Amino acid sequence: MNSQPKYIIVGAGLAGLTCAYELLKRGEKDFLILESRDRVGGRILTRNGIDFGATWFQGHHQHVHRLCRELGIAQFPQYSQGQSILVYSSMAPAHHFENDPSATPASRITDGTSALIKALADQLTDHITLNTKVASVHEVQGKLKVATNQGNYSSDKMVITVPPLIATIIHYEPALPAAVVTAMENTHTWMSNAIKLGMTFRKPFWRDSGLSGMIIGQNGPVTELYDHSNAEDSKYALMGFVNEALRDFSEEDRKRRILDYLSKHLGQEVLEYLSYEVKDWSEDWHTSCESIKSFYMSPQYGDPVFHETYLDNTLIFSGAETSPTYGGYMDGAIHSGMIAASKLTD
Ligand SMILES: Cc1cc2nc3c(=O)[nH]c(=O)nc-3n(C[C@H](O)[C@H](O)[C@H](O)COP(=O)(O)OP(=O)(O)OC[C@H]3O[C@@H](n4cnc5c(N)ncnc54)[C@H](O)[C@@H]3O)c2cc1C
């Protein structure tokens, strides 16, 4: 790998890969992506058919739709037939309701959201360096010197797609303006506090009881659950969010509470799972850090300070949380990657 590329992109999540893909489309090949994890995708992670990171997108997420079309990625609607369950109190009986048949269900990516990441990364194999954590960026006379755990690099320009809060860990010289540092420190990393649960089954037994697999309720050990079977409807799964109140419970205790709760609402067949896995993103330092906060509504993203360039016009911020549209979401990540590629080349 060339340690002195024209451009360095920090982070091989959706924003970084999109930025690189856009550079390739413009005929630009002299760039490198430095990624701290041993895999690409960042907050997109499909394992054993389960999306432990991003899953859904809507009709208005036009950047996701366009990118999927361009890369030949298929999509399918979230399964929502049958009755869903609302658990609004631990004392009252659960409420069963029909989903609105006129509502457009959210979309999922066939073969899991990581299929989108794979399609991008397959075109960028010569440009991605894994296990490479950027520690510092030093601007000297319009050139950048970049120190990582794997050695030093230099480049003309750099795009940082690391979530702003995590990007505060990187040392910048000269120092970034105080307003930028404050904005970085105050930008919650979307979903960095989420705990996701995925379970696979031989059969979609809940459908036999006329259930959609959807359970909503803030008081139980699982706050949201959905049918997560594959597009071909040949592999069956449930996926959802674990109540953060269970974060500090032992794994064994947490699992017992989750299984008790799900078997109460969906039936004893829950206990016949083929696989059971929980991923707590707050324990993943590539995404999270000590100062995570519990935000479930999307906070205000795309602070204008992230739209400026820094270190003598060599440093550009990108990533879902910097996007002027749909901040925090995949659509925002793609949009921000496209903007960064334009800033590099235009
Ligand atoms: C549980 C969960 C559920 C979600 N659900 C949805 C959903 O349903 N729909 C939706 O639209 N969005 C969802 N999202 C959000 C979506 O995943 C993000 O918007 C998107 O993936 C962000 O991409 P990104 O490239 O901006 O950031 P990231 O994916 O965070 O990529 C940043 C990359 O930088 C790397 N990195 C960090 N520090 C360094 C360093 N110092 N040096 C080098 N590399 C570094 C990281 O390893 C990572 O790969 C969800 C996220 C999570 C976690």
Side-chain angles (χ1 to χ4, degrees):
M1 292 268 179
N2 173 12
S3 64
Q4 299 184 341
K6 193 166 160 192
Y7 307 129
I8 285 179
I9 299 168
V10 188
L14 186 54
L17 295 175
T18 301
C19 176
Y21 170 68
E22 289 293 325
L23 289 179
L24 272 192
K25 285 202 314 193
R26 290 156 199 236
E28 186 57 70
K29 294 196 175 87
D30 192 10
F31 63 86
L32 201 55
I33 306 179
L34 304 180
E35 167 55 52
S36 57
R37 283 182 165 101
D38 60 1
R39 62 169 181 84
V40 294
R43 277 172 282 170
I44 293 176
L45 172 65
T46 309
R47 203 155 49 199
N48 191 23
I50 308 281
D51 288 325
F52 284 98
T55 306
W56 300 281
F57 52 103
Q58 313 280 344
H60 55 264
H61 289 146
Q62 281 307 309
H63 294 294
V64 182
H65 288 281
R66 184 199 46 77
L67 191 58
C68 286
R69 263 197 313 276
E70 235 174 88
L71 295 168
I73 299 289
Q75 50 175 275
F76 68 109
Q78 167 65 43
Y79 183 90
S80 61
Q81 289 160 41
Q83 292 201 326
S84 297
I85 299 174
L86 175 66
V87 187
Y88 55 92
S89 155
S90 53
M91 280 142 68
H95 179 68
H96 284 223
F97 65 97
E98 292 287 343
N99 293 316
D100 178 357
S102 66
T104 311
S107 299
R108 293 176 51 200
I109 287 178
T110 301
D111 297 331
T113 317
S114 287
L116 175 58
I117 293 298
K118 184 174 182 311
L120 286 167
D122 280 353
Q123 306 196 27
L124 297 162
T125 41
D126 296 340
H127 298 272
I128 303 173
T129 305
L130 298 175
N131 300 306
T132 307
K133 184 184 181 189
V134 171
S136 70
V137 184
H138 189 174
E139 183 259 320
V140 186
Q141 293 176 341
K143 277 277 215 185
L144 292 173
K145 292 180 185 307
V146 183
T148 79
N149 60 327
Q150 302 284 2
N152 298 328
Y153 294 82
S154 69
S155 70
D156 292 348
K157 292 194 179 192
M158 171 183 272
V159 176
I160 295 206
T161 72
V162 177
L165 188 56
I166 308 298
T168 57
I169 298 165
I170 299 172
H171 175 75
Y172 304 86
E173 210 174 316
L176 292 170
V180 181
V181 177
T182 304
M184 290 164 82
E185 287 171 348
N186 289 335
T187 300
H188 171 70
T189 309
W190 179 236
M191 287 288 178
S192 58
N193 48 326
I195 313 174
K196 261 206 176 179
L197 161 74
M199 296 176 74
T200 60
F201 299 91
R202 225 173 291 279
K203 289 182 181 164
F205 61 88
W206 53 95
R207 295 183 194 170
D208 297 341
S209 321
L211 296 173
S212 68
M214 178 170 147
I215 308 179
I216 303 292
Q218 292 304 312
N219 298 318
V222 178
T223 53
E224 292 175 43
L225 189 80
Y226 303 92
D227 187 310
H228 200 61
S229 306
N230 65 354
E232 296 78 12
D233 209 27
S234 58
K235 290 187 177 161
Y236 306 103
L238 292 169
M239 177 274 279
F241 293 88
V242 174
N243 196 323
E244 283 192 73
L246 268 60
R247 174 160 283 130
D248 297 328
F249 286 44
S250 72
E251 235 177 272
E252 201 182 313
D253 196 7
R254 185 161 71 181
K255 184 170 179 179
R256 184 180 52 76
R257 286 165 191 264
I258 289 171
L259 293 179
D260 282 354
Y261 179 79
L262 295 185
S263 47
K264 176 179 165 194
H265 293 292
L266 297 178
Q268 290 300 306
E269 294 100 317
V270 163
L271 305 177
E272 292 163 26
Y273 58 85
L274 295 173
S275 68
Y276 167 103
E277 189 178 343
V278 166
K279 174 160 176 72
D280 185 348
W281 286 87
S282 76
E283 292 172 351
D284 188 332
W285 67 261
H286 305 270
T287 292
S288 201
C289 61
E290 286 300 311
S291 54
I292 59 157
K293 300 164 198 154
S294 288
F295 281 135
Y296 271 107
M297 294 308 288
S298 178
Q300 191 67 38
Y301 283 127
D303 190 305
V305 298
F306 297 131
H307 305 147
E308 304 293 325
T309 50
Y310 297 97
L311 303 193
D312 199 14
N313 221 19
T314 56
L315 184 78
I316 294 163
F317 283 100
S318 177
E321 283 71 20
T322 70
S323 177
T325 59
Y326 301 117
Y329 293 94
M330 289 189 280
D331 201 75
I334 295 169
H335 192 193
S336 77
M338 293 168 66
I339 293 172
S342 307
K343 283 185 180 157
L344 287 177
T345 55
D346 292 350

